[in-house]
Amino acid sequence: MGEVDYMQIDSLQRQVNAHSASISSAQSRITTIDEQLERLRTAKKSVGEIQKKVRDTKKKIIKKNYQPTWKGKQKDAFTKQWETFSSDYTSFQTEMNTFYQAICDEITRLENQKNEENGIIGWGQSQMNNLGNIIEKLLHTKEGEGHV
């Protein structure tokens, strides 16, 4: 009968425990990432909705801008206000687009980080599986009897 090397099994079990801790840590980081992604996706949706509302407002104003019967001070005042609004609108949409793009970039960065964490989990699970196999084979004697 073969001797069971309990020191080797203990060493392998410590490795299993270390991989298990790494997996738990990665799972915790994934949970945090998922929470951040949820908030960012909500913010991204809100930015898009705000931009649409402002764009819709602009369309309504454009329709009012076409007033062929307006003349004189009324037309001049509206034209001046329109030019101010148009400039402010362009600045606002540019700023919102920049904000939207930054949110998209952060979402992508976090999704990539989550993929890396999932890779760590998969690698750790494979290592634990391999170590479990080694431990099982060490505990199994040459004659087919297991020691547990």
Side-chain angles (χ1 to χ4, degrees), residues 45-58:
K45 182 179 177 185
S46 294
V47 168
E49 290 169 354
I50 290 167
Q51 285 185 287
K52 183 183 181 320
K53 287 178 184 176
V54 172
R55 186 173 45 252
D56 292 346
T57 301
K58 181 182 179 187

Side-chain angles (χ1 to χ4, degrees), residues 64-108:
K64 288 185 179 184
N65 188 32
Y66 183 69
Q67 299 291 333
T69 59
W70 285 6
K71 298 196 186 310
K73 290 181 183 177
Q74 185 180 21
K75 179 70 172 181
D76 292 343
F78 184 85
T79 300
K80 185 175 181 179
Q81 289 175 356
W82 171 254
E83 289 169 0
T84 301
F85 171 79
S86 186
S87 174
D88 291 347
Y89 172 82
T90 301
S91 296
F92 172 80
Q93 289 293 26
T94 299
E95 191 173 319
M96 293 302 281
N97 284 337
T98 300
F99 186 56
Y100 187 89
Q101 291 170 3
I103 292 171
C104 290
D105 290 344
E106 183 62 7
I107 287 171
T108 299

Side-chain angles (χ1 to χ4, degrees), residues 128-145:
M128 288 174 54
N129 190 41
N130 292 336
L131 291 167
N133 181 46
I134 293 169
I135 291 169
E136 183 176 344
K137 290 189 294 186
L138 287 171
L139 288 172
H140 191 79
T141 62
K142 293 178 183 176
E143 288 82 20
E145 295 177 17

Side-chain angles (χ1 to χ4, degrees), residues 36-50:
Q36 291 171 328
L37 285 169
E38 184 178 337
R39 288 191 301 273
L40 285 167
R41 287 182 178 123
T42 299
K44 179 179 157 185
K45 182 179 177 185
S46 294
V47 168
E49 290 169 354
I50 290 167

